[in-house]
Amino acid sequence: MTRRTEWPEHTRPGAPRGRDGRHGGAPAAEDDDLYGSDGSYGGEEPGTGSPRSEGTSGGSGRRGTGDARGGRGRRRRGFGEPSGDDGATSFPARAEKEEPPADPVERARAICLRLLTGTPRTRKQLADALRKREIPDEAAEEVLSRFEEVGLIDDGAFAGAWVESRHHGRGLARRALARELRTKGVDSALIDEAVGRLDPEQEEATARDLVARKLHGTRGLDRDRRIRRLAGMLARKGYPEGLALRVVREALEEEGEDIEFLGGEDG
């Protein structure tokens, strides 16, 4: 039987010999830095004796880009795409695929928090969303009441911000604003309080600005069509008929239009 000590030892080509002249088996720890995985010594190209170029891969002589760009031929990762060389999806993408909580209260809480992210909503809007997702009424009521307690749901604040934004941004009058808030489920008392903050003088000034912006586009039309178009625009935005006609009449008077027939229609 051949003894193990007589087996030929597997060493790297060109490995240094021991003091007794035989190959010393695996190199010492400090020799690991000298040998590459391909048996090259001191960073030399295998079989050439020339030093390996810095930044090359596999001794090809070409500058390697695999580590920096994720591999040759791979297109540049665009914004929002999953990162990582293994192609694993990003954490948000994985989170979206996770199963929703089994507890209906936890599900309701997660739905409400998601809907409230970035935009306020009324209690009715959230309740409708929970009902659509088949959340039990008891769980929905518990979560909605808790959200009201901590201020995440505030229909009064919602109504005030809605009036401010829609009046200055769209020129809506109190009547149109109240109608929109009712469709969102805001309580009547809260609606009255919110629209009551809109000063009548400010409302009239906004109506004048709206007419002034539209007036130029009606030039060339006959007088009756101009009146109908401008007054109709104000009516759609919730302005009372008497206010609308008065503002239109005064705007046309400034242009020299004959509007005497409208003298008694302030209503």
Side-chain angles (χ1 to χ4, degrees), residues 8 10 19 43 45 71 85 99 110 124 162 208 228 236 266:
H10 298 280
R19 292 182 181 179
E45 296 287 354
D85 293 338
E99 291 294 329
K124 180 179 183 300
W162 186 268
R208 294 182 187 280
R228 287 197 301 269
R236 288 191 297 274
D266 284 343

Side-chain angles (χ1 to χ4, degrees), residues 191-204:
I191 293 175
D192 293 341
E193 181 181 353
V195 299
R197 299 173 192 159
L198 184 58
D199 186 80
E201 294 181 358
Q202 175 62 40
E203 190 177 41
E204 182 172 338

